[in-house]
Amino acid sequence: MSRELLQNVRVLDPVSGSDRIADILITEGQIEAIAEKIAEFPADTEVRDCQGLILGSGLTDIYSHSGEPGFEDRETLESLMQAAAAGGFTRVAILPDTSPPVDNLAGLALLQQHIRNLPPGLPSLYFWGALTAGVKGQQMAELGELASCPVVGFADGLPLSNPALVRRLLEYIKPLGKSVALWPCDRTLAGNGAVREGAVSVRLGLPGIPASAETSALAAILELVASAGTGVHIMRVSTARSVELIRDAKARGLPVTASVTWMHLLLNVGAISGNSKDAGAKNALTASLPYDPNLRLEPPLGNLSDQLALIQAVKDGVIDAIAIDHNPHTYEEKTVAFADSPPGAIGLELALPLLWHGLVETGEFSALELWRVLSARPAVCIGQTPATVAPGVSAELILFDPQMSWTVDGQSLKSRSANTPWLGQKIAGKVVQTWIY
């Protein structure tokens, strides 16, 4: 029988609100006991002194991108799941923009077939069904059929430009009882922009995207939610004004939740020119380029005022969860001029250590606050019961060493792609064990 006793470990459980130093006994994948001191245990128990380490519930990512099927050179489902486990994520929900997309039963069946071929012990993988056929934003996907299958909800992961279609989608989905995730972005206002519009974009000489590209689309979505009464999750919130709109919507009782991607909490547009204290130094692969294309994101990094508003909104609960939005690209795709590079960066292996050192150790968040928005609240946003750390439940846990240093490179990363601004940098914080049963 497999038994482990972790002694003197800091236990974080956002469900019960507990943050304490304790011993924890895990037997055959079940949490058997948690106490200040466990003095009696079977002789065959593996005993580990975990002083300085953190044991917490497994993390949940509510949306990320998979390369497989269709773009396996970017990421396979296996490498994605290995990266997730290495970063402490025990549940990951994948957006439907694969090739073929998950817009019908056949597309979902193909992904489920790929999952059956994965080795055991990897995180749980969930799928969003597409809102529109081919994720092209033109007509409804087979929502009724997909709703009868194990999808966490519906999302294209791309902006929907037709308000009439959004209204019909919300009305149709309401009785299906599934989550809906929408990204507010007006492509006509965004134009060919690459960074957040403002003084920094002018100084960089890069085309800017006004904040109104997000806020005008968000305002329209919130009006449609008020009319239809369908619950909606707002993806990729990135502006201070969006925070105000969501706060007001929640105060009015609208059924909305919201998330921000992890890099928007750590960085602002100043990082592109190297003027952010949190920006990594330029790595050898992008040293010849004026700006690191791994900082080309959608939505773009905000101004400092946006970053500060987002941090406060997460603390206040206006923004419910932090999403990773892991978006792998190949070296060839990313090593081009900033404005020409495809937006997105990897993050499953980096988010926890960088958020810990960027927000917890600086005093912006408590340890429990960070764990809550990476574990419990994301699970609730996709209609799941959060993992908890309590006797008698399955061990869905991670053991995190906040001081272990490692270098972000192709050898240490489990992800097949390495498109991150921290490539080549030494960072602190590593998940040393993941329990998934």
Side-chain angles (χ1 to χ4, degrees):
M1 182 174 288
S2 170
R3 289 189 181 91
E4 297 174 88
L5 176 61
L6 309 182
Q7 296 179 324
N8 305 310
V9 68
R10 183 179 181 183
V11 180
L12 298 177
D13 181 23
V15 173
S16 65
S18 172
D19 179 356
R20 58 175 172 155
I21 305 296
D23 292 357
I24 179 167
L25 180 63
I26 302 171
T27 303
E28 289 294 302
Q30 294 281 318
I31 301 174
E32 186 173 330
I34 305 175
E36 184 176 343
K37 186 70 175 178
I38 298 177
E40 297 183 5
F41 47 86
D44 61 350
T45 303
E46 178 187 354
V47 181
R48 300 165 61 184
D49 184 1
C50 295
Q51 186 171 4
L53 304 185
I54 295 160
L55 184 77
S57 51
L59 310 183
T60 297
D61 180 30
I62 49 180
Y63 47 87
S64 276
H65 302 261
S66 170
E68 185 181 11
F71 304 97
E72 287 82 359
D73 54 338
R74 297 175 180 170
E75 193 82 278
T76 64
L77 286 171
E78 183 172 352
S79 66
L80 177 84
M81 291 294 93
Q82 289 174 341
F89 289 87
T90 56
R91 308 180 193 183
V92 178
I94 299 299
L95 289 168
D97 57 343
T98 50
S99 182
V102 187
D103 62 351
N104 56 45
L105 294 183
L108 182 60
L110 179 61
L111 279 171
Q112 291 171 331
Q113 179 182 343
H114 283 283
I115 291 177
R116 285 192 289 269
N117 295 326
L118 295 178
L122 293 175
S124 299
L125 190 60
Y126 303 91
F127 300 104
W128 289 93
L131 281 165
T132 66
V135 293
K136 295 181 179 178
Q138 300 299 316
Q139 61 185 45
M140 284 189 196
E142 300 292 341
L143 303 179
E145 290 184 355
L146 286 170
S148 65
C149 297
V151 294
V152 295
F154 298 103
D156 273 8
L158 297 169
L160 296 178
S161 60
N162 184 344
L165 176 60
V166 175
R167 179 186 178 189
R168 290 198 300 272
L169 285 166
L170 294 182
E171 291 172 346
Y172 188 89
I173 291 171
K174 186 176 182 179
L176 299 179
K178 292 287 185 178
S179 303
V180 181
L182 298 174
W183 173 27
C185 176
D186 187 322
R187 291 289 198 193
T188 58
L189 282 171
N192 66 343
V195 298
R196 173 70 71 230
E197 184 179 85
V200 176
S201 68
V202 173
R203 186 170 68 250
L204 296 175
L206 292 170
I209 298 175
S212 58
E214 175 173 296
T215 56
S216 61
L218 175 57
I221 288 171
L222 294 176
E223 286 300 305
L224 294 173
V225 169
S227 174
T230 307
V232 165
H233 180 79
I234 306 298
M235 307 169 64
R236 302 177 180 135
V237 178
S238 71
T239 71
R241 176 57 182 154
S242 292
V243 169
E244 294 177 1
L245 291 171
I246 294 167
R247 180 181 287 110
D248 176 69
K250 288 188 170 187
R252 290 188 287 130
L254 295 189
V256 295
T257 57
S259 58
V260 58
T261 63
W262 70 285
M263 287 179 65
H264 287 80
L265 295 176
L266 292 177
L267 303 174
N268 58 66
V269 67
I272 297 171
S273 60
N275 291 331
S276 170
K277 65 181 179 65
D278 297 307
K282 212 178 251 193
N283 62 72
L285 297 180
T286 58
S288 62
L289 300 170
Y291 312 118
D292 187 348
N294 294 311
L295 291 169
R296 168 88 157 93
L297 306 174
E298 276 190 333
L301 292 171
N303 294 306
L304 177 60
S305 59
D306 296 314
Q307 180 188 6
L308 297 176
L310 292 169
I311 290 171
Q312 189 61 48
V314 174
K315 286 178 64 67
D316 294 344
V318 175
I319 292 179
D320 300 84
I322 298 175
I324 307 306
D325 208 6
H326 178 87
N327 196 353
H329 291 286
T330 65
Y331 168 78
E332 291 77 13
E333 288 175 309
K334 270 294 191 179
T335 314
V336 294
F338 186 93
D340 296 330
S341 68
I346 63 169
L348 287 168
E349 297 168 78
L350 302 171
L352 176 58
L354 290 170
L355 287 168
W356 183 273
H357 285 277
L359 296 176
V360 176
E361 291 200 344
T362 60
E364 293 281 358
F365 284 14
S366 70
L368 206 55
E369 284 174 330
L370 179 64
W371 226 268
R372 185 175 292 117
V373 293
L374 284 174
S375 178
R377 285 184 181 172
V380 171
C381 285
I382 54 176
Q384 295 186 347
T385 301
T388 187
V389 188
V393 303
S394 295
E396 186 177 342
L397 305 167
I398 63 171
L399 189 63
F400 176 61
D401 184 345
Q403 302 307 320
M404 179 182 289
S405 65
W406 57 289
T407 300
V408 181
D409 56 28
Q411 285 70 47
S412 59
L413 289 170
K414 301 295 184 183
S415 175
R416 178 166 288 194
S417 294
N419 54 305
T420 171
W422 284 275
L423 186 64
Q425 306 304 306
K426 182 173 282 189
I427 66 172
K430 189 77 172 173
V431 173
V432 295
Q433 188 171 347
T434 303
W435 289 262
I436 304 170
Y437 294 95

